[in-house]
Amino acid sequence: MATTIDDKISLFTKVIFEKLENEYNEKKQRLIERYEAEKSAIEAKLKKKLEERISDASRDANVKKDHMVSKAKAAAHFEVLRKREELLERLYDEIREKIRHFLDTPEYLEFLKDALIRVTSRFPRDEKVYYILTPEDFRKHEQEIRSFLQSLKPEGEFEVVIGDSNMLG
């Protein structure tokens, strides 16, 4: 069988087209692979940046939350302290009022004498003792206090001093 020129040209054309098609497919595959690799790299980079931003946002949110919790705890602590101060002040006022009422009772003079005995017993017999009394006690009970102190210590070994008017009993 004899091959004609047309057959040879056809075969040659077929071989060239196959070769061109193979080269085209190889180049196309390499381009696709290169673009896929770039796409994966870009996606990985974006994913990493996204994770970093999420991590940063989470960390910032935790810091803000901790700050808010700390601030709330501090506010609650200060509120407790303020309430405590209010309660103490109210108690002090009630105690001061009870003391003021007690100062006007006959039992107070006995209490005062007992306190003078306890103070006097803490000092040696020959040592001079200074007794500080409120202006109100001194005004109301001066004679009783002086005579009582003279029964505890000889004259000259004690001195009665008038204290501040803010003193109670």
Side-chain angles (χ1 to χ4, degrees):
M1 222 158 101
T3 347
T4 63
I5 289 194
D6 284 337
D7 289 337
K8 286 183 181 181
I9 289 177
S10 173
L11 181 62
F12 180 70
T13 305
K14 183 179 174 187
V15 169
I16 287 185
F17 276 126
E18 282 179 8
K19 186 176 178 186
L20 284 175
E21 191 173 321
N22 284 339
E23 285 177 11
Y24 169 77
N25 284 336
E26 284 176 20
K27 285 182 181 180
K28 178 181 163 187
Q29 188 61 34
R30 281 193 305 249
L31 276 175
I32 289 173
E33 287 172 2
R34 192 174 106 212
Y35 287 126
E36 286 295 325
E38 284 181 29
K39 178 183 169 188
S40 295
I42 290 171
E43 284 176 348
K45 191 187 250 184
L46 288 175
K47 185 177 180 182
K48 184 178 177 185
K49 281 185 180 181
L50 180 64
E51 287 171 355
E52 287 174 358
R53 290 206 175 145
I54 289 172
S55 175
D56 290 346
S58 176
R59 187 173 41 257
D60 290 346
N62 283 334
V63 166
K64 284 181 182 179
K65 177 192 77 161
D66 291 345
H67 179 67
M68 289 170 54
V69 166
S70 176
K71 193 174 179 181
K73 283 182 180 178
H77 180 70
F78 285 126
E79 183 65 19
V80 166
L81 289 177
R82 189 181 65 77
K83 291 289 186 183
R84 182 176 180 218
E85 286 296 319
E86 285 177 11
L87 177 63
L88 285 174
E89 191 59 38
R90 202 171 14 176
L91 287 172
Y92 288 147
D93 289 344
E94 289 176 16
I95 291 170
R96 284 185 198 107
E97 190 61 32
K98 287 182 180 186
I99 290 172
R100 283 189 192 99
H101 289 300
F102 180 63
L103 294 176
D104 294 331
T105 65
E107 292 86 13
Y108 176 68
L109 186 56
E110 291 306 313
F111 169 79
L112 185 58
K113 286 179 181 180
D114 186 48
L116 292 172
I117 290 171
R118 282 186 276 136
V119 168
T120 304
S121 69
R122 291 184 162 190
F123 293 93
R125 233 189 199 313
D126 57 343
E127 189 174 329
K128 187 171 185 173
V129 179
Y130 293 88
Y131 298 96
I132 301 174
L133 300 173
T134 66
E136 188 70 19
D137 285 346
F138 191 76
R139 186 182 59 75
K140 283 183 179 180
H141 308 291
E142 179 182 6
Q143 291 307 319
E144 293 98 332
I145 292 171
R146 283 194 185 277
S147 65
F148 185 72
L149 287 175
Q150 285 174 352
S151 72
L152 296 175
K153 282 187 109 29
E155 188 73 39
E157 287 188 17
F158 71 88
E159 187 174 332
V160 176
V161 178
I162 300 173
D164 190 350
S165 61
N166 290 330
M167 292 172 51
L168 283 176

